[in-house]
């Protein structure tokens, strides 16, 4: 029974190499900053680019290796072996890892100019981004709840610090504190949930949950504990992906944090947390009679509240903050549809809709924040809608790109955002959730109004003082361009995604 | 096909650059492309008339069934020729309209974007491709209406148009997805061949709602009609092209195109007929009582769209035949009148019909075009409009239900049209001069379009065979199949239909005579907002905004304590519900064998908590918290976990010390919260506490016979030769972990050291 413990498992380099590459890059970047402090950050940027490229190379190099779950001892619980290790190597993990690497890459290249303009050119920024990305990658490649939690904390703590990067800006400080305090609460709930799951199943690996429920006569107490643990873990995730009513930190933090950090935060933490969430839910299928209704309700109120409050906002960053809440609601619809479809005959929905939407969301959100970041100049930054007036004339390229990103967020064809929503709609209808699909459609209509506000603002002529826009540098240009191209090209990936992740 | 659409899009991108080089010659150059595409489509006519549709297929997202497929039959052909042909003339006209405007490159770009999208709508076979083009027309229409973006009114009406049509578009998407699922295909040609499958499908009601909302919003049907008159803030070429000849017809086009598969139910027939008839009457009345030329034309366009919708609802062969005739005739005369009105406004700065008159001597060519078009609109014999009018009366006579009602509605609205046509097309030129107007000279480019269209409206009267055979008949055959061939005739001889036409004109002239006496009607609230559709739109928009603001100020007020409160409440409720629903209370085995020292410990803890929450100074609170921590450490010790006890004691001591350091710097503690707030907090805290206690109870009643304990306690001695299991685990079994922890501690220590050395500069100390 205990022989599995004595066998040291082979180290799955295919799962770990990308993590090691990103972590090492962060350390090297920090060392450079330590050795030559307060110099131009070009060297660090290049180191990060090379490191991330290496990490992406590692993922791609091992692309075709068969899926594997290992590393670290396999524990057997009282009921028998449940398998599962600390890390795993599969297509979904690889895709999310690549997404996060790309997010970090784009953030690094478009941040340089912004940080310089905002007098925030600290070298610490880059290692923190690297480690946050690493945390996210860990979350995506593990089914062990403790490892997921470690990844989550690595990501979150780096983000807390990043949010407070602008030491002179009180709002930035406030946002960091709020984020940290509320995040600590959520982490506490989640950790408690994990320990309850451990108590119920005897392992921290989610594989223990189906093992518990597949028993002929599961211990009723253990089942109770598992349900309670699942509920608390969901709260932790709901906080991380900003579902209503755990969303309140989002607009404040998005507004207060430096724009580049907001962009990275919006993209990376949501991608990683959703990836981990769907893995957890996949393992908790036995409890879906409880969590499907909960998530359905959350999806509806998240979409609706996010969209309605966004209408009343006057700050572009806050609008995007609420928009990201609403977007999380859409993704939740996809998850609910996926879960509903699991029990239905003749219907298989894999992770592909969620993965597709996450990628599209990352690309359009990062792009939008990249454009917004160009409104910073000489230590000042304007993110009110009025501050964007006249952008069309002063910075035509970012303004044009902004229209593309807003169109995609609003779900205007033929952008990636449109297809993402369409796939979600399809899944929902296929899973007999026509009413949920219609709520999604109605919400998309509402959202058009506030995305248009941003578009209109960039096209209007300034009334009083025109905002200074930073000159478009190579990094910003490249980010906008890559994101915009990506939004149109991403559609071509749905079929490969399906074949990688399908059913 | 794809080449045609893509080349227009490519030209759209190139237009601003071309405009920079070619300046005022840009427009005729740009017009070459739509012109040649128009000829291409005309050249397809003989082939399609023989019943051979043109197909083309490109794969796009095959897994969804979203492909770029094009399928041109009679109906598509008719619309494609209109889109490209009128488009050509509009581009030329815009050359005159925007003469000397250096920034108009953007206009051509948007206009061509729209043209490409509109062409895409009419020739797409795939529902998704059609939808993509559909939304593109909404967006380009939004940008074109708001072309004068400095003007607040044009911005808000552009937004209104976009919200209405864009929102309708999403309903349409829902309808399309469900339609595709019901029919098993996303190709319209395949759906139309699937027979009654769709109609009998359980999703059919939703399909109809989606498609109708999409079509009605786009084609400005009641109660969504209000955006179209407001869209008249757009420059004249846009009004003429988008809002009369092409885009607004996309809705009725779609209904016609899907007619074979979805129309065969009473729901569809009655909804479409009634909405169409209401819109037709409403538009005609509103048109007649307005005085702004462009609004009058817009309302009559709404009316014609209503008539087209009604024809689709009537659905018999002659109705679909009349549909084709009316589309063609309306595009010709209404396009002309819009261009004439736009030209008059551009040259004289006036668009109120009451103030216009006697312009013929100064704008003779325009006068000819205007009056020819007006004659066609009135339905005077020798004009194509007459043929159209005959056709719709004929259709109404043959309607299976309510024939009389439809005829009455048609006669009334056509009679009102007569008045509008005279007011807009004839009176400004031949009427008495009302006031002195300075009129500029008309550029030649602005005359090509109106003249050409109006002359065609005249000439087509004499070519019924040709038109009937190649355009009209194939278009109705595409909808209803060619069981019965109806021959397009210009003159039917003396019959009931002719009588109706004569009657219409007679009533119309009477109405024209009496209209001036109704002068004040156009100022009434009814004229501004009939049946309150606009106020519903505005109120719901404002309501949504207010709701958002209310939420933002109550939920999102920025106070961290409120956020935490809500988070905790929801979590407690959330976990509590799951817990209560799923806990099998009987399975809990609770034992209460309390010993004396345990009871004492509990009393100490409770007392500490009581002091903590009642404390009036921070120091007392910290000390109470410390007591609580030490008590917990004692609990650990009582239950045999000395290592945990040690850790807890250390951390507790450290945090008390740290707290005291921080407290030292904080201002005086004052109780600011009110009694009610404190009570609320107490309740919330008790709930959380109760929940956590329950969780602990449940979790601890689970027998925790982990095999780990057994494993380590046996292997510790066997394999690592140590009796202290904890030590063995730390240094042997998990040695690498321990090394890692030591490293982390070392790094942290370096960080702390660096922080300690770092002293804030003197000036920022207060802020820190």
């Amino acid at each position: 029974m205990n022989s599995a413990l004595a066998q040291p498992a082979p180290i799955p380099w295919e799962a770990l190499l990308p993590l090691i590459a990103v972590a090492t890059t962060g350390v090297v970047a920090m060392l450079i900053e330590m050795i030559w402090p307060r110099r131009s950050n070009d060297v660090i940027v290049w180191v990060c680019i090379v490191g991330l490229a290496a990490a992406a190379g590692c993922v791609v190099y091992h692309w075709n290796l068969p899926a594997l779950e290992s590393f670290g001892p396999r524990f057997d619980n009282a009921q028998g072996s449940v398998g599962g290790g600390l890390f795993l190597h599969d297509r979904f993990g690889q895709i999310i890892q690549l997404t996060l690497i790309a997010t970090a890459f784009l953030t690094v290249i478009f941040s340089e100019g912004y940080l310089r303009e905002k007098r925030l050119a600290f070298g610490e920024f880059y290692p923190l981004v690297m480690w946050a990305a690493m945390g996210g990658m860990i979350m995506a490649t593990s089914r062990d709840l403790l490892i997921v939690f470690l990844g989550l904390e690595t990501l979150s703590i780096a983000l807390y610090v990043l949010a407070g990067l602008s030491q002179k800006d009180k709002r930035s400080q406030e946002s960091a504190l709020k984020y940290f305090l509320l995040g600590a609460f959520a982490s506490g709930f989640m950790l408690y949930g994990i320990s309850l799951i451990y108590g119920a199943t005897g392992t921290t690996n989610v594989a223990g949950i189906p093992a518990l429920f597949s028993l002929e006569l599961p211990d009723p107490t253990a089942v109770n504990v598992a349900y309670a643990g699942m509920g608390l873990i969901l709260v932790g995730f709901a906080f991380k992906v900003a579902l209503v009513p755990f969303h309140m930190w989002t607009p404040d933090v998005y507004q207060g944090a430096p724009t580049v950090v907001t962009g990275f935060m919006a993209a990376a933490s949501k991608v990683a947390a959703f990836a981990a969430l769907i893995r957890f839910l996949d393992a908790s299928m036995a409890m879906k009679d409880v969590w499907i209704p909960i998530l359905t309700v959350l999806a509806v109120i998240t979409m609706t509240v996010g969209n309605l409050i966004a209408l009343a906002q006057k700050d572009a960053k806050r609008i995007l903050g609420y928009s990201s809440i609403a977007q999380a609601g859409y993704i939740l619809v996809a998850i609910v549809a996926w879960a509903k479809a699991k029990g239905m005959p003749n219907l298989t929905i894999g992770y592909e809709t969620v993965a597709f939407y996450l990628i599209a969301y990352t690309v359009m959100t990062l792009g939008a924040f990249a454009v917004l970041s160009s409104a910073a100049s000489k230590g000042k930054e304007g993110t009110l809608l009025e501050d964007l007036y006249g952008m069309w004339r002063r910075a035509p390229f970012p303004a044009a790109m902004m229209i593309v990103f807003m169109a995609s967020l609003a779900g205007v064809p033929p952008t990636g955002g449109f297809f993402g929503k369409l796939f979600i709609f399809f899944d929902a209808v296929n899973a007999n959730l026509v009413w949920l699909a219609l709520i999604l459609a109605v919400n998309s209509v509402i959202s058009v109004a506030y995305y248009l506000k941003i578009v209109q603002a960039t096209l209007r002529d300034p009334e009083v003082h025109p905002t200074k826009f930073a000159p478009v540098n190579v990094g910003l240009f490249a980010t906008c361009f890559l994101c915009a191209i990506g939004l149109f090209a991403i559609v071509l990936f749905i079929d490969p995604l399906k074949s990688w992740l399908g059913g | 096909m794809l080449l045609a659409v893509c080349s227009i899009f490519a030209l759209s991108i190139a237009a601003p650059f071309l405009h920079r080089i070619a300046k005022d010659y840009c427009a005729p150059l740009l017009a070459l492309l739509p012109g040649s595409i128009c000829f291409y489509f005309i050249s397809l006519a003989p082939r399609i008339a023989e019943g051979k549709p043109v197909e083309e297929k490109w794969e796009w997202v095959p897994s969804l069934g979203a492909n770029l497929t094009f399928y041109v039959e009679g109906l598509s052909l008719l619309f494609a020729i209109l889109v490209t042909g009128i488009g050509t003339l509009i581009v030329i006209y815009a050359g005159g309209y925007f003469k000397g405007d250096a920034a108009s490159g953007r206009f051509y770009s948007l206009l061509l974007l729209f043209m490409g999208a509109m062409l895409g709508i009419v020739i797409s076979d795939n529902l998704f491709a059609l939808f993509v083009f559909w939304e593109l027309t909404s967006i380009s229409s939004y940008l074109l209406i708001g072309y004068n973006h400095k003007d607040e009114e044009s911005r808000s009406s552009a937004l209104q148009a976009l919200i209405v049509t864009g929102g309708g578009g999403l309903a349409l998407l829902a309808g399309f997805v469900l339609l595709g699922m019901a029919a098993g295909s996303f190709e319209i040609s395949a759906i139309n061949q699937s027979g009654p499958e769709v109609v009998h499908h359980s999703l059919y009601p939703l399909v109809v709602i989606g498609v109708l909302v999409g079509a009605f919003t786009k084609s400005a049907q009641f109660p969504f009609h209000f955006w179209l008159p407001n869209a008249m803030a757009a420059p004249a070429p846009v009004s003429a092209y988008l809002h009369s000849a092409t885009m607004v017809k996309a809705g009725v086009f779609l209904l016609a195109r899907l007619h074979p598969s979805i129309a065969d139910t009473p729901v569809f027939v009655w909804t479409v007929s009634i909405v169409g008839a209401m819109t037709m009457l409403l538009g005609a009345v509103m048109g007649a009582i307005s005085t702004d030329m462009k609004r009058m034309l817009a309302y009559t366009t709404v009316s014609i769209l209503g008539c087209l919708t009604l024809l689709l609802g009537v659905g018999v062969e002659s109705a679909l035949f009349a549909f084709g005739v009316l589309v063609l005739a309306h595009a010709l005369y209404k396009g002309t009148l819009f261009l004439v009105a736009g030209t008059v406004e551009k040259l004289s700065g006036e668009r109120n019909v009451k103030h216009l008159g006697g312009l013929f001597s100064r704008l003779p060519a325009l006068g000819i075009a205007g009056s020819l078009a007006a004659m066609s609109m009135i339905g005077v014999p020798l004009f194509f409009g007459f043929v159209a009018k005959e056709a719709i009366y004929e259709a109404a006579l043959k309607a299976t239900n309510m024939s009389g009602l439809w005829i009455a509605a048609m006669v009334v609205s056509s009679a009102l049209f007569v008045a509008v046509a005279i007011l807009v097309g004839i009176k400004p030129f031949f009427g008495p001069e009302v006031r002195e107007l300075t009129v500029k000279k008309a550029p030649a480019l602005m005359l090509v379009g109106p003249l050409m269209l109006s002359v065609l409206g005249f000439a087509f009267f004499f070519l019924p065979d040709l038109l009937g055979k190649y355009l009209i008949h194939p278009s109705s055959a595409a909808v209803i199949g060619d069981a019965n061939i109806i021959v397009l005739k210009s003159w039917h001889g003396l019959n009931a239909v002719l009588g109706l036409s004569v009657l219409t004109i007679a009533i119309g002239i009477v109405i024209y005579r009496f209209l001036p006496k109704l002068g004040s009607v156009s100022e009434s609230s009814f004229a501004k907002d009939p049946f309150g559709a606009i106020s519903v739109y505005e109120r719901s928009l404002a309501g949504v905004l207010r709701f958002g603001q209310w939420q933002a100020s109550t939920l999102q007020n920025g106070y961290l304590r409120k956020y935490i409160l809500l988070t905790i409440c929801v979590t407690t409720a959330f976990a509590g519900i799951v817990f209560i629903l799923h806990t099998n209370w009987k399975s809990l085995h609770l034992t209460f064998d309390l010993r004396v020292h345990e009871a004492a410990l509990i009393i100490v803890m409770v007392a500490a908590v009581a002091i903590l929450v009642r404390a009036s100074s921070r120091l007392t609170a910290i000390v109470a918290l410390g007591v609580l921590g030490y008590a917990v450490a004692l609990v650990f010790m009582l239950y045999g976990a000395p290592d945990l006890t040690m850790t807890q004691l250390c951390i507790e001591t450290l945090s008390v010390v740290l707290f005291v350091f921080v407290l030292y710097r904080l201002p005086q503690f004052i109780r600011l919260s009110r009694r009610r707030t404190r009570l609320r907090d107490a309740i919330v805290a008790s709930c959380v506490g109760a929940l956590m206690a329950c969780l602990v109870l449940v979790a601890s009643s689970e027998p925790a016979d982990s095999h780990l304990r057994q494993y380590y306690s046996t292997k510790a001695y066997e394999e690592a030769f140590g009796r202290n299991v904890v030590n063995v685990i730390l240094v042997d079994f998990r040695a690498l972990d321990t090394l890692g922890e030591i490293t982390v501690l070392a790094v942290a220590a370096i960080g702390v050291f660096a922080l300690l050395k770092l002293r804030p500069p003197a000036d920022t100390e207060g802020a820190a």
Side-chain angles (χ1 to χ4, degrees), chain B residues 225-242:
Chain B
H225 62 280
F226 54 88
W227 69 268
L228 184 55
N230 288 343
M232 292 301 125
V238 176
S239 308
Y241 189 41
L242 274 67

Side-chain angles (χ1 to χ4, degrees), chain A residues 76 178 224 248 252 322 495, chain B residues 63 556 558 563 574 582 707:
Chain A
D76 307 324
K178 268 185 187 162
N224 293 341
M248 276 126 12
D252 293 5
Y322 282 110
D495 285 323
Chain B
S63 65
Q556 196 75 49
Y563 294 1
F574 201 43
H582 284 270
H707 57 282

Side-chain angles (χ1 to χ4, degrees), chain B residues 605-750:
Chain B
M605 284 164 92
V606 171
V609 171
I611 294 170
L612 175 65
V613 295
R614 301 293 307 165
S616 58
S617 91
R618 290 201 182 91
L619 202 60
T620 322
I622 298 297
V623 171
L625 203 58
V627 170
L628 191 61
Y630 285 128
V632 172
L634 282 177
V635 172
F636 288 150
M637 200 154 78
L638 286 178
Y639 286 90
D643 48 338
L644 262 182
T645 315
M646 279 311 292
T647 319
Q648 174 76 11
L649 281 176
C650 289
I651 288 184
E652 212 44 57
T653 315
L654 197 64
S655 46
V656 169
V657 171
L658 284 178
F659 258 132
V660 172
F661 267 119
V662 176
L663 281 188
Y664 186 62
R665 287 177 167 258
L666 285 179
Q668 180 74 38
F669 175 74
I670 310 166
R671 230 178 243 280
L672 291 170
S673 51
R674 282 180 300 164
R675 208 182 157 71
R676 264 174 57 195
T677 324
R678 288 209 299 274
L679 194 65
R680 180 197 68 195
D681 291 352
I683 292 171
V684 171
S686 319
C687 288
V688 180
L691 179 74
M692 291 299 161
C694 289
L695 280 181
V696 170
L697 276 182
V698 173
S700 58
S701 69
E702 162 85 343
D705 56 339
S706 167
H707 57 282
L708 279 181
R709 190 196 301 167
Q710 180 201 353
Y711 173 83
Y712 280 120
S713 48
T714 52
K715 298 277 168 157
Y717 192 74
E718 282 172 23
E719 291 190 0
F721 310 110
R723 285 179 203 284
N724 184 330
V725 181
V726 176
N727 268 353
V728 170
I729 290 175
L730 285 182
V731 301
D732 274 311
F733 286 106
R734 316 225 61 159
L736 208 60
D737 290 7
T738 311
L739 181 67
E741 278 168 30
I742 294 171
T743 319
V744 169
L745 272 183
V747 172
I750 294 171

